[in-house]
Amino acid sequence: MDGSGKQAGQGRGTSSRALSALLVDASTRALSAADGRVGGVYLRSATPGMLRLAVLAGLPGPLFRPWWRLHVNRPFPVADAYRQGVPVVLSNAAEMMRRYPQFAAGLPFQFGSVYVPVPGERAPYGVLTVLRPAAPDAVDEVPGRDLLTRVAEELGDRMRALAEGDEGAVVWDADPVCVRPPACHPAVRRMGRFTWDPASSAVIADDRLHDLLGVRPGDLAGTAQGLADAVAPADAHRLLGALHDAAAGRAPSAPLHVRAGDGTPCLLELWPPVDSTCRVSGIILDMGPARADGAADLLPQGVFCLDRTGVIVYANAAAARLLDPEHTGLLGRPLSEAVPWLNQPSYEDHLRGALLSPEPVQFHARPAADKATEWLALSLHPGPDTVACTVVPVSRVDRPVGPAPAAPDTAAEPTAGGRIPVGPSIAPLYRPIALAIALTDAVTARQVSAVVTQELLPAFDGRRLAIYLLQDRHFYLAWETGFPQGFLAPFDGVGLDAHLPGVETLTTGRALFFESMQQMSAAYPGMPVDAIEGARVFLPLIASGRPVGSCILGFDHSRGFGTDERALLTALGGLIAHAMEKAQRYDSEAALARGLQQALLPRRLSSHPLVETAGRYLPGTQGMDVGGDWYDVVEAGDGLALVIGDVQGHGVQAAATMGQLRSAVRAFALGDRTPDEVMSGTNRLLIDLDPGQFASCCYVRLDPVTGLARVARAGHLPPLLRSPDGHTRVVQIPGGVVLGVDPHAEYPVARLRLEPGAVLALYTDGLVERPGTDIDDGIAALSVALEQAGPVAAGPGGRSLAGVADRLTAMARHTAERPDDMALLLAARREAAERRY
C-alpha cells in the first residue's frame, strides 16, 4: 500500500519524462479546478482496447492496483467517457451504484467523481479523472467543470505537440506514477533545496538545507559525496543511489526516508532532469514532529498519521511499539512496507474507505494468525491532507468474535532459482461480487468469455485465458486470448482420457496451480508448452455437480498463490461454470428460436418483369431472444405489394406474432385490398388475437407499369427514395398509430411515383438506431449510403440491387454486438427495354 508505482515499461527517455510531467501537472491542476482530493489520468496503451492509469495523485498506487488497467468496453465511467467522448459526472455513491453497479461494488464508499476525455486527433488520448467529496443530490454539474474541461483540452494540445506524429509518445504501458497532491493546509516545516549536476558532481544547496542538516556551508564540499556525508551513515548509500537513478530518469516516485546527521527524520524527494542542463533537483523535508505533535508523544495510545499517498509522516512512541516491534522504523515509509501484516484484503478495504470517504473508519486487526497474538483496534480519521490514526490493544471484553483474518501464505514451493514470492495483494474480496454482477448481463458463451477476460485477468494481473467446454466427452476450445497463434489448436477436441492438466482439473474437480512452467513440465512431461515463462492456473468448471469444462489462466512471470487466493480463484471458477452452463442453454434455445423465425421469413420474393427487389434480415446478437422484424413482396392484382414490419419485443412470442401478421397481410394483399384496408384489417386481427404486443408496419402498393405507389404507414419509419440521378430523400408521408392499439385507427394513404431507375428503401429501426445517438442521424446516414451506392442497372456499369442491399447492411453484418434485429427491403423500377437486356 505504498505511494509508489514503478515507471517500468515506458522506455522513451526524454519524451517519457516530458509526458509524465504533463500528466502530473494536469492532474494537480484538475484537483484545484474541481475541488478534488484525488486526480489521475488514464491513457491508451499499446494493447488495443486497453486503458492504463498513467498518473495517480493523492492515493497509494498499489492499494488501487485492480483499477490500473481498464478495457474500453467495461461498464465503468472511465471507459464510457473515453468511448463516448463526453464527460461523466457521478455526484455521490447512490448515483454511482445506479449507473455503474460493478464500479460501486469495488469501491462502495461515499465519494463523487468526474471523468473528462482528453481530446486527441482521431480519438481521445485518455481520460482525466477527479475524485471529490460526495454531493447530497444527483447533479450533473460540479464546481469548476468548465475549467476542468479546459485542463483536459490543454493537456490534449500539449500531448499532440509532444507526439509530433509519433503515436507511441502518448501511449502508456508502465505502472502509474503516484504523486503527492498539493496540500490544502501546508504545514510549516523546515525544507531545503538543492540541485546536482551528474557531469561535474557539483551540488548547489540553499542556506535552509545547511541549517536542516546541521552543517556549515563549507562542510558540504559541494559534491554528491559531501551531501551523503551530511546524513546518517546508514542512509548515505541510499541517497547516492537515488541521485544516480534520478539522473538516469528513474527518480523514486515516492519520497525516501533518510535521517540527518543528528538523527532528525527527513524525507528526500528527487526530480529527474527535464531540460538540456541534465541537473537533478531535490528537496529534503524535516518530518520531525511539529510542536503540537509533542503532546501526542505523551499519550498511552498509539497515534500515527498518513499522507494521501500512504506514507507515514508521524508516529508516537506507543504507535511504534505496537506497529513496529522489530524497530525497523515507521517515519517516511509507506504503510504497506512498514506494517506488512496490514496487506490483507479485509484490512485494505478499510484503508481504501478512509482515503476515499470523509467518515471515520474503525476496525480490528491482528498482526498474526496465531491465537496468542494481541488484537489491535485501529481508528482512522480522514482529513484533506492526512489520515490521523489511533491504535490501541483490544481488551478481552472488547475482543471481536470470530477467527482472525488469515495471514499471508508464503509457503510457495521453491523453484531452481529459489522461493517464488506470493503475488502482490490485490484486495480481491469484491471480485466475486463484481464478476457476478457482470455475468448477469452475459447470456451467450461469447459474452461470458468476454466478461471473464475483462474482469478476471486484470484482477490477478493475468495475460492469457482459455476456456474449454465439454461436449460428447471431448473438450472443445470456446475462447482464447493472449496465447501464441495456433498453440492451443492441438488440444482442441481431446478426450477425457488425455493426460493433460485442463482435462484432469475437471475429472478430479480440483484446481491446479503451477507457479512456473518448469513445475508444470515436471508434472506433465512431454506436454507441449509455449515459449513464454510464467505461472498457470487450471480451474474446473462444474455447475450443480455437472461438468461444464475448464478454464486456464496464464501469467507472464513465475509467482506463488496464497491460500486465500487459491480459494478465491476456485470460487470464481464456480461462478464462471454456472454462467457458462446458462449460456449454453441460451445458445441452444436461440438456435431453435432463430430456426423458427427463418422458417417464417419468405424463401423467395414475388417478382415482376419491371420491378427488381432485394431483402435482407440480420438477427440481433445479444441474448437468445429473436425479434419480430419481417419483410415480404406479394402479388397484388396486376401490381406488387411491398411490406415491412416490426413486432414489439423479442423471443418466440414475437416471432409467432410476426408469422401471424405476415400471413394476414399476404391474405389481404392477394385480395388486392387498398393499403388502408390492409392496415385496418391487420390492426383488428392483432387486437382480436390479443397477444399483448403491438407492431409497426409499412405497406406499399406499386404499379410497375406507371410507377405509381400508394403507401400506408402504421407507426413505422418513413421510406427512402433514391431518384435516377442519385439524389436520395426521406419520403415524409402521413401515418397512423401502430397496429394492435386502437381498433378504430385510420391509416391515410399517400401517393408517390417511382421513375425508371429509382430505388425505394423500406427498413426497420435496428438498421438505423444506435444507443446514445438520435435515430434521425441513423436515417440520414442510411440515406447517404444509399445515395453513394451508385446507379442500379442490369447491364455493365450498374450495381445489382442485391449488391446495394449487401452494401447497406455490410457494417451491421460485421458488428459482433447487435442489440436488435434488422430488416431491409429494396425495390427498383426498370425501363421496359431494360428487361430484355
Side-chain angles (χ1 to χ4, degrees), residues 45-66:
S45 72
T47 303
M50 190 66 68
L51 301 176
R52 292 197 64 139
L53 182 61
V55 165
L56 181 63
L59 288 176
L63 188 61
F64 291 84
R65 183 183 295 272

Side-chain angles (χ1 to χ4, degrees), residues 25-40:
D25 176 67
S27 298
T28 53
R29 289 173 59 203
L31 291 179
S32 300
D35 190 23
R37 300 284 179 82
V38 179

Side-chain angles (χ1 to χ4, degrees), residues 362-384:
Q362 292 90 27
F363 64 97
H364 293 94
R366 192 157 68 176
D370 61 279
K371 296 181 179 179
T373 306
E374 189 174 35
W375 282 90
L376 300 177
L378 287 89
S379 296
L380 284 60
H381 301 267

Side-chain angles (χ1 to χ4, degrees), residues 183-192 208 211-212 264-265 284-293 313 385-386:
C184 299
H185 308 290
V188 180
R189 296 190 184 275
R190 294 185 299 164
M191 181 179 70
R208 285 174 292 182
D211 178 63
L212 189 155
T264 300
I284 295 182
L285 177 68
D286 174 12
M287 294 306 295
R291 295 292 179 264
D293 296 335
V313 295
D385 302 319
T386 59

